[in-house]
Amino acid sequence: MTIKWTKKSNGKTYDITKCVGAVTWSGSVEQAAREADITVLNAPNDPNIKELKLNLAVGDIIALYEDKQNIFYGEIQTGEKKAEIGTVTYKVRDLMDHLLRTKHKQNFKNKTPEAITKEICKRYGIATGEIASTKKAIKKMIIDGSSLYEIIMIAYTKAAKTTGKKYMAYMQGKKLCVKVKGTVVKGYTLDEYKNITAASYEETIENMVDQVKIYSDKGKQIGVVKNDAHIKRYGIYQEIYTKESGVNANAAAKNMLNGVEKNVNIEAISGNIKCVAGDGIKVYDAATGLTGLFWISNDTHTWEGGQHKMSLELSFKNVMDEKEADSTGGSSKKKAGSGSDKDVAGTYTVISNTTIMRTAAGRSNKAVKTLKKGTTVKCDGKYTYVSGTAWYYATAGSDSGYVYSKNLQKA
């Protein structure tokens, strides 16, 4: 691993590899921007560090290289100094962060997702690499204050309903790229006899949808799709789909059905930089009975002491970060962000058969514990929205973490 720092104030680039104690590089299918945490030695009396004058500043560029290949290029967001002499940890985010934090308003007519992507990137001076072609023109798309990333994914979500493919936007260095999800890491298998050091397996119905009612734009029900076997076993978990012009309503509604989610957490040595969120990986682990192809939903790679380790959360299902436009033209993710609300605080009861408490909001994050129906938890009022739904920070016994709010009922 080689770490290079580009100082914004003078444009010069420095190799700071010898001054870095540890590097963590991570990503998630639910978090568009990849991140890196670098821990820099803070020893002002060390001649090597003194010579480099390591006054890294927010906005400076950090680039990571593995075997001379650039795997990350991003800007320093924050720096946390532990002590006068010790370490400083810098949090770095790739340039997708600019697309996530830049809002835009525009009406698009008869344009494909690829054309929309190239148009807005050109307007904001964002370089583009390979952009997936759909050849599906969108009749009308009204955008009123959505982020550039959301605009791109709203367009590709519309196309996906017709093409049946799943798409993913990502940064390759300074360039924005969009690809069809489904790449499988070649020539590499996670194997209990070679590289797996720990593995765990969980099942959840937190996100189950077994019935979707289809409505016209005038509010009249015109159809329904369902999974009878799941309804018989688990009861009804229903969503609503409103018919869109130029989209096969039955196909779109069927895409909304979601069954039992099976997630796997794996710790491995001799990490592989190709194992990133959104791609597929082959697994062989007799201890858990897991053998076959899985999809990486969350990845964390760590380099420390000359070793490359990785922690992966795997899913049986290849999913897309879908975004929808609502009737006002904004993203259908009506609520976002984090905060605290005294009305949220209180005691809640788990109303689903099970729900998983996680280290952070969002199903891509690691499980703290599984809570059974009837379990009571205490919420302090903190919440975080993911895809428009709140996750509450709660405590159950000696454990604390985030719980999906739809699976809770206030006592």
Side-chain angles (χ1 to χ4, degrees):
M1 167 65 70
T2 301
I3 305 100
K4 293 186 178 181
W5 160 48
T6 300
K7 197 171 182 179
K8 281 280 184 78
S9 60
N10 61 15
K12 292 183 178 180
T13 299
Y14 308 87
D15 186 333
I16 60 171
T17 306
K18 292 181 179 180
C19 304
V20 175
V23 175
T24 299
W25 175 55
S26 61
S28 168
V29 292
E30 292 185 343
Q31 180 180 305
R34 290 190 66 81
E35 295 183 346
D37 287 348
I38 64 167
T39 302
V40 178
L41 304 176
N42 181 39
N45 297 324
D46 186 312
N48 294 317
I49 295 176
K50 191 174 182 180
E51 183 183 351
L52 279 172
K53 298 179 180 178
L54 285 177
N55 55 335
L56 281 70
V58 291
D60 283 356
I61 299 294
I62 294 294
L64 306 180
Y65 297 83
E66 182 77 342
D67 296 328
K68 298 183 180 180
Q69 178 186 347
N70 177 224
I71 63 170
F72 178 84
Y73 182 96
E75 294 175 329
I76 296 175
Q77 303 293 315
T78 60
E80 182 184 357
K81 191 175 182 180
K82 296 292 184 182
E84 190 62 35
I85 296 178
T87 60
V88 182
T89 300
Y90 295 93
K91 184 172 287 293
V92 191
R93 200 169 289 130
D94 75 17
L95 301 187
M96 183 67 80
D97 196 49
H98 286 274
L99 284 89
L100 288 164
R101 294 166 59 184
T102 302
K103 306 284 186 178
H104 182 69
K105 293 178 68 171
Q106 187 175 344
N107 295 344
F108 297 96
K109 289 183 179 180
N110 298 317
K111 291 189 176 180
T112 61
E114 52 268 35
I116 291 170
T117 299
K118 290 174 183 177
E119 181 179 329
I120 61 174
C121 284
K122 183 178 180 181
R123 175 171 294 193
Y124 287 93
I126 300 165
T128 55
E130 186 175 343
I131 304 296
S133 173
T134 66
K135 298 180 182 178
K136 300 293 180 183
I138 299 168
K139 263 189 172 182
K140 187 178 181 182
M141 193 172 91
I142 302 171
I143 299 297
D144 185 16
S146 295
S147 72
L148 302 185
Y149 171 77
E150 286 177 329
I151 294 168
I152 292 167
M153 294 313 296
I154 287 170
Y156 274 98
T157 297
K158 286 182 178 291
K161 291 174 182 176
T162 303
T163 65
K165 297 177 180 178
K166 301 180 187 299
Y167 301 91
M168 179 178 180
Y170 64 101
M171 296 303 299
Q172 192 168 60
K174 298 179 183 179
K175 295 181 178 181
L176 172 81
C177 302
V178 180
K179 69 178 181 180
V180 177
K181 287 180 84 264
T183 302
V184 177
V185 179
K186 292 182 180 179
Y188 184 81
T189 300
L190 285 168
D191 190 319
E192 65 172 325
Y193 297 111
K194 295 179 182 178
N195 43 35
I196 295 176
T197 57
S200 62
Y201 168 68
E202 68 177 19
E203 291 186 346
T204 175
I205 59 169
E206 277 187 341
N207 301 300
M208 176 172 281
V209 176
D210 51 22
Q211 180 166 289
V212 180
K213 287 187 175 181
I214 305 169
Y215 286 82
S216 69
D217 56 3
K218 294 181 180 179
K220 182 181 178 180
Q221 185 179 339
I222 56 175
V224 62
V225 296
K226 54 188 176 180
N227 184 319
D228 290 320
H230 282 173
I231 291 173
K232 184 178 180 180
R233 182 169 181 179
Y234 304 107
I236 292 177
Y237 292 95
Q238 180 174 289
E239 281 285 358
I240 301 296
Y241 173 72
T242 302
K243 192 177 186 319
E244 301 169 271
S245 176
V247 175
N248 184 305
N250 268 15
K254 283 181 181 177
N255 283 337
M256 295 172 68
L257 293 174
N258 193 44
V260 178
E261 292 181 348
K262 301 175 182 180
N263 298 311
V264 182
N265 289 289
I266 285 181
E267 304 288 333
I269 56 172
S270 303
N272 188 323
I273 59 172
K274 293 180 181 178
C275 295
V276 294
D279 287 346
I281 182 75
K282 292 178 181 178
V283 178
Y284 174 75
D285 184 60
T288 54
L290 299 168
T291 301
L293 179 64
F294 295 81
W295 300 97
I296 303 171
S297 55
N298 193 53
D299 72 274
T300 300
H301 296 254
T302 303
W303 287 264
E304 187 172 15
Q307 287 191 318
H308 174 192
K309 298 179 181 179
M310 62 184 184
S311 175
L312 305 176
E313 182 169 340
L314 309 178
S315 172
F316 284 68
K317 188 176 179 181
N318 184 15
V319 297
M320 175 180 171
D321 185 15
E322 296 181 346
K323 304 290 182 188
E324 301 283 356
D326 63 22
S327 58
T328 63
S331 167
S332 67
K333 188 171 68 175
K334 296 178 178 67
K335 295 183 179 181
S338 303
S340 182
D341 187 340
K342 63 180 181 180
D343 292 332
V344 170
T347 301
Y348 291 77
T349 303
V350 175
I351 57 174
S352 56
N353 288 335
T354 61
T355 192
I356 298 171
M357 177 180 283
R358 298 184 181 275
T359 54
R363 60 186 175 84
S364 65
N365 293 297
K366 289 184 178 181
V368 174
K369 70 182 300 184
T370 298
L371 306 174
K372 294 182 179 179
K373 187 174 183 178
T375 302
T376 57
V377 300
K378 290 186 178 180
C379 299
D380 62 3
K382 292 179 184 177
Y383 62 84
T384 295
Y385 279 95
V386 175
S387 299
T389 302
W391 288 66
Y392 294 160
Y393 186 77
T395 300
S398 60
D399 297 300
S400 296
Y402 284 85
V403 183
Y404 191 58
S405 65
K406 286 188 177 182
N407 292 338
L408 300 175
Q409 185 175 66
K410 202 166 190 179

